[in-house]
Amino acid sequence: MENDSEVSSSVVSKSDRKNISFVWKKFERFSENGKEKAKCNNCGQIYASGASGTTNLKRHIREICPFRDQSAVEVQNNEFDQSSFREKVAKAMIKHNYPFKFVEHEGIRDVFSYLNPRVQHVSRNTAKNDILRIYEMEKEKIKEILASTTSRICLTSDLWSSLVSNGYMAITAHYVDNNWVLQKKLLIFRHLPPPHGGQNVGERLITFLQEWGIESKIFTITLDNAKYNDGVVDLLRNHLSLTNSLLCDGV
């Protein structure tokens, strides 16, 4: 360690070198006798800089400096939690639409092991189960929101066919929340096996409404002009009238 009085230095300006690493928020860079050095802003410890990199500076911040950030030390010393790790990976896969086999990629596993050797790698089936568990949790949250809202709910629904002719049904709920803000939630996007007639589609629609607990809160439903939707509307109107959930007789 060198004493401040022994240092005859000139501070290197920011225009000479970009301070990219976070360590330069904790250290002041200067030169002495043509050699780059760094001085801790908290305790005054001086280290060689330049070609030696910033590893020693990071270690000083986290382990050596008597005035080091205790929050950083606490984070470093926290026990690794496998459950939290799996949840974060599952949420990342959902957010970025990664395939289930993402967790089995050799490169990704190398990264995880590098970050924490104690990590327990999971299979694609485990990742799938984690994602489905998160889906069920989020579904329950939305069901609670829909149950607590005082407004009626408007629905839009449509059917699509994939390139291999698989049918899919989507249902979106539109409502005004308790803060008078218009909201919309995609409730259903599911495979719908044939036949796609009014009776079958209508029955599935009613089943979905019951699943979400909103059949008594429906205000309107908007469909396209497909012929089978006439049967869907008739079936839904009759069902809601039997449960006294129909406004203005559905007219």
Side-chain angles (χ1 to χ4, degrees):
M1 176 177 178
E2 299 182 43
N3 191 285
D4 290 352
S5 61
E6 299 175 354
V7 177
S8 174
S9 63
S10 60
V11 177
V12 178
S13 66
K14 291 184 179 179
S15 60
D16 294 331
R17 182 186 294 268
K18 291 184 178 180
N19 297 334
I20 299 176
S21 176
F22 76 93
V23 301
W24 301 119
K25 295 180 180 180
K26 304 288 186 180
F27 278 84
E28 178 185 6
R29 178 184 278 145
F30 65 93
S31 63
E32 180 188 21
N33 299 326
K35 296 182 179 180
E36 292 190 12
K37 296 190 177 183
K39 176 181 176 182
C40 177
N41 294 332
N42 292 325
C43 69
Q45 175 75 42
I46 296 176
Y47 291 91
S49 182
S52 61
T54 59
T55 301
N56 56 338
L57 307 184
K58 293 176 182 177
R59 181 171 177 270
H60 175 84
I61 293 172
R62 294 169 177 165
E63 302 177 16
I64 299 175
C65 181
F67 305 105
R68 62 187 178 274
D69 185 356
Q70 291 301 316
S71 62
V73 176
E74 291 172 2
V75 170
Q76 185 181 25
N77 293 334
N78 275 346
E79 288 294 327
F80 172 75
D81 185 80
Q82 178 72 17
S83 297
S84 297
F85 165 76
R86 284 173 51 179
E87 181 178 357
K88 289 184 179 296
V89 171
K91 288 183 176 179
M93 294 173 67
I94 295 170
K95 182 175 182 178
H96 300 292
N97 199 28
Y98 293 149
F100 296 137
K101 64 180 180 180
F102 168 80
V103 294
E104 296 180 348
H105 290 172
E106 182 179 353
I108 291 300
R109 290 191 167 188
D110 286 344
V111 172
F112 290 160
S113 296
Y114 171 77
L115 293 175
N116 196 309
R118 291 176 294 175
V119 68
Q120 299 176 21
H121 299 295
V122 299
S123 67
R124 67 184 70 186
N125 289 330
T126 299
K128 174 184 175 181
N129 291 334
D130 288 344
I131 289 173
L132 291 176
R133 177 178 54 81
I134 292 174
Y135 165 76
E136 292 297 335
M137 291 172 56
E138 295 300 319
K139 179 180 177 180
E140 289 303 315
K141 291 179 182 178
I142 296 177
K143 288 175 68 174
E144 291 177 4
I145 292 173
L146 295 178
S148 64
T149 185
T150 56
S151 76
R152 286 271 180 164
I153 298 172
C154 298
L155 300 177
T156 54
S157 180
D158 201 0
L159 295 183
W160 287 274
S161 294
S162 68
L163 294 177
V164 292
S165 300
N166 289 327
Y168 292 90
M169 184 178 193
I171 301 176
T172 304
H174 309 259
Y175 63 96
V176 177
D177 66 18
N178 295 334
N179 294 318
W180 285 89
V181 178
L182 181 62
Q183 303 284 353
K184 66 176 180 179
K185 303 292 184 183
L186 178 63
L187 305 184
I188 298 293
F189 193 102
R190 291 189 186 174
H191 176 234
L192 187 67
H196 294 159
Q199 181 73 23
N200 183 47
V201 174
E203 289 176 351
R204 294 300 296 272
L205 176 60
I206 292 171
T207 299
F208 293 149
L209 298 184
Q210 293 172 337
E211 176 184 332
W212 283 85
I214 59 174
E215 62 176 333
S216 63
K217 306 188 73 171
I218 301 304
F219 183 48
T220 66
I221 181 168
T222 302
L223 307 168
D224 63 19
N225 61 353
K227 183 63 178 178
Y228 63 82
N229 279 330
D230 293 339
V232 173
V233 170
D234 290 339
L235 188 66
L236 182 60
R237 181 190 293 116
N238 293 335
H239 175 79
L240 294 180
S241 64
L242 292 175
T243 58
N244 296 320
S245 303
L246 198 61
L247 291 178
C248 302
D249 294 326
V251 178

